[in-house]
Amino acid sequence: REAAEELNYLPNAAAQTLAGSAVRSLGIVLPHVQGTYYAQLAVGFERRASELDHSVVLLLVGPDAEARP
């Protein structure tokens, strides 16, 4: 602690969360959420995760995942 104080060290909150055992996040990777199939899958995933007190990270990887104007 003394060295950390001398160096003005500030711990990274994201790193501390990852290092701990209490991370309650789930991820889902989908090509898109257009149409009903993937949209319903994402909604169902989020609902179940919420019931289990987890948060959800959604990653869209398909060609339509890029931001549109």
Side-chain angles (χ1 to χ4, degrees), residues 20-50:
S21 60
V23 175
R24 301 189 65 79
S25 297
L26 299 171
I28 184 169
V29 179
L30 298 173
H32 58 79
V33 289
Q34 299 168 350
T36 58
Y37 179 76
Y38 289 118
Q40 288 177 349
L41 181 66
V43 168
F45 188 87
E46 193 282 328
R47 281 185 184 154
R48 184 64 179 137
S50 180

Side-chain angles (χ1 to χ4, degrees), residues 31-35 60-69:
H32 58 79
V33 289
Q34 299 168 350
L60 300 176
V61 295
D64 293 332
E66 295 181 18
R68 295 183 183 174

